[in-house]
Amino acid sequence: MPPSAPTRAPHIPESVRALFPALAGSSEVYLDSAATTQKPRPVIDTIQGYHASRTANAGRGTYPWATGLSVRLSRVRARAAAFIGARHPDEVVFTGGATAALNAVALSWGLAECTDGDEILYNPRDHASNVYPWHHLRQLLARFGRRIELVGYRTTRTGEADTDDILAKLTPRTRLITTSHLHHVFGGLTTLAELRGRIDPAVLLCFDCSQSGGHLPVDVTELGADFAVFAAHKMFGAPGTGILYCHRRIHDRLLPFLPGGNSGVRLTEAGLTRAGMPELLEGGTHNIPGVLALGTALEVLESFDMAAVAAHNRELTTRLLDGLRRVPGCEFLPGPAYASCAVGYGIVSFTLPGITASDLGFVLSELGFLVRTGLQCRPGDSADTDSVRVSTHIYNTFDEIDRFTACVQTIAEEVS
């Protein structure tokens, strides 16, 4: 039997779930926040408000509807900079999402800066969006006679980047190290803190914060990031919106990857003139309702206190691990299950003998538990396997976790 506990973890007021209309009155348990988060009512209202009242294009007119939107977008940029720990608003670029942001790094920095023989260190077991752009960059550069090397590093048993392996693979030709801040399947947190003072400061650091943003406090300055990317839809915002953080020290080394209207570049007899940041990387019309919704999402997250959100997810993770450890045959993928102390950031992946992950996910959904299954956007290699992933957020409760683990235990006993 699951241990007795309050139906909600500490730190979280009872009114929280009421903010999320999709959860109101639902008998289903949503445990897939690493794929996308539920949207709070204020975010929904912001999107509807843009379309229902004074719809205009920011930066395209001198009338109040347009100029007012420009002011609102500037305020969201400043709020986003403060939320992620950027020192300057012009270090925040609005993108079409985290995938678009990582591709922007590859195209705006990589095409401009990488030369023959340069190396990029990456994790082959990261999300495909932090793997494929670098392979795409290598293929593009090869067409112009520049051959770069992609050097893969290992993942530890706790689901973190293996910094000893990174150190062993660093060479004078290493230009960039890219990693997931919080791994989307393993739930391991990587800060690269062990590398500080041990690598050439010229080596750039890129963090995929798609899973950590909106789930725990993130400070890009503290991380020492040159680039960092965030997915708005995983932090209560709308799909199709993201943040690319670019440290000021590399602004003059970037080229536009999407030149056009609003990108700030100008055509002269000598060619395209360079614009300042962030306009350099923001060609085209912004996803205005998405950016406005991001601003509202950040307000909601700040109202909860990110430290309290992180504590809530840690407690839920501990509860989940304790429950799954009692399930016969349950095997954990790398992650917090193997940590030497109680850690957890709301992501746990596992398998059961006698049933495939996809079949287990189907059975769980039929019983009202919504989880992710499969390789989960990993490129896949011999070390990877299909699994069930559970991912939580502020709106999940102890009671939901207890009912979930009890359900998994019943299934495990039936298929054994």
Side-chain angles (χ1 to χ4, degrees):
M1 295 291 292
S4 60
T7 57
R8 279 180 177 79
H11 316 297
I12 306 304
E14 292 289 323
S15 59
V16 164
R17 282 176 69 93
L19 281 174
F20 299 88
L23 300 177
S26 174
S27 61
E28 294 171 308
V29 177
Y30 186 75
L31 296 171
D32 197 20
S33 289
T36 197
T37 53
Q38 297 300 308
K39 315 308 173 195
R41 171 56 66 185
V43 167
I44 298 170
D45 291 343
T46 295
I47 296 171
Q48 292 178 333
Y50 168 77
H51 290 296
S53 175
R54 300 197 172 196
T55 303
N57 199 344
R60 300 295 200 277
T62 57
Y63 54 92
W65 290 14
T67 57
L69 278 172
S70 297
V71 171
R72 291 177 67 187
L73 295 185
S74 294
R75 289 174 179 166
V76 175
R77 194 186 305 279
R79 179 180 288 275
F83 186 83
I84 67 173
R87 290 177 175 168
H88 310 284
D90 66 1
E91 295 176 319
V92 170
V93 177
F94 295 132
T95 72
T99 299
L102 285 161
N103 276 276
V105 175
L107 298 177
S108 63
W109 169 80
L111 283 181
E113 290 286 305
C114 288
T115 60
D116 200 49
D118 284 346
E119 299 171 352
I120 293 175
L121 270 58
Y122 79 109
N123 187 344
R125 303 178 77 184
D126 272 352
H127 194 286
S129 293
N130 199 21
V131 174
Y132 292 161
W134 313 113
H135 285 268
H136 182 51
L137 173 64
R138 181 174 64 176
Q139 291 176 323
L140 287 175
L141 289 173
R143 294 191 175 198
F144 298 99
R146 285 183 281 168
R147 301 192 177 278
I148 65 170
E149 296 295 327
L150 301 181
V151 181
Y153 57 81
R154 295 190 298 261
T155 303
T156 68
R157 189 167 173 79
T158 56
E160 303 166 8
D162 188 332
T163 50
D164 289 336
D165 194 40
I166 291 175
L167 282 170
K169 290 175 175 174
L170 282 168
T171 77
R173 298 309 303 266
T174 303
R175 302 296 303 278
L176 177 102
I177 302 170
T178 185
T179 192
S180 291
H181 186 212
L182 180 61
H183 198 278
H184 70 294
V185 178
F186 305 145
L189 187 70
T190 296
T191 64
L192 300 181
E194 299 89 340
L195 302 182
R196 292 173 191 167
R198 304 174 70 182
I199 62 173
D200 188 335
V203 176
L204 303 185
L205 302 181
C206 177
F207 288 88
D208 179 0
C209 300
S210 298
Q211 300 300 339
S212 55
H215 293 74
L216 61 139
V218 178
D219 189 316
V220 293
T221 301
E222 184 178 302
L223 284 173
D226 295 287
F227 301 107
V229 308
F230 299 81
H233 75 100
K234 298 185 181 186
M235 45 203 301
F236 296 166
T241 312
I243 295 171
L244 167 60
Y245 164 78
C246 298
H247 193 289
R248 271 189 174 181
R249 78 164 178 149
I250 43 88
H251 283 189
D252 62 355
R253 296 156 63 182
L254 303 175
L255 293 178
F257 81 105
L258 196 64
N262 205 48
S263 62
V265 298
R266 296 290 182 270
L267 184 60
T268 68
E269 292 183 0
L272 291 177
T273 62
R274 183 187 155 77
M277 287 284 283
E279 294 80 9
L280 181 74
L281 302 184
E282 288 187 352
T285 299
H286 290 103
N287 178 355
I288 297 173
V291 174
L292 296 177
L294 171 62
T296 303
L298 298 181
E299 291 179 18
V300 173
L301 286 166
E302 289 168 345
S303 74
F304 294 152
D305 181 350
M306 288 310 305
V309 174
H312 182 74
N313 275 321
R314 183 173 60 251
E315 291 161 355
L316 292 177
T317 304
T318 300
R319 186 77 162 206
L320 177 64
L321 291 172
D322 289 345
L324 290 176
R325 285 192 174 105
R326 293 191 293 272
V327 175
C330 179
E331 293 189 8
F332 295 102
L333 269 63
Y338 301 101
S340 58
C341 56
V343 297
Y345 307 94
I347 296 176
V348 172
S349 297
F350 67 95
T351 61
L352 284 184
I355 185 170
T356 67
S358 58
D359 286 344
L360 177 54
F362 175 78
V363 173
L364 286 168
S365 69
E366 290 292 293
L367 297 172
F369 298 97
L370 312 182
V371 296
R372 179 74 185 271
T373 63
L375 281 174
Q376 303 164 39
C377 294
R378 283 173 294 165
D381 59 30
S382 59
D384 286 328
T385 185
D386 289 355
S387 62
V388 172
R389 181 186 68 190
V390 179
S391 51
T392 64
H393 213 299
I394 193 83
Y395 35 65
N396 291 119
T397 68
F398 276 150
D399 177 67
E400 289 178 332
I401 297 300
D402 290 343
R403 287 190 286 122
F404 172 78
T405 54
C407 183
V408 173
Q409 183 165 356
T410 299
I411 296 171
E413 291 168 351
E414 291 178 352
V415 300
S416 62

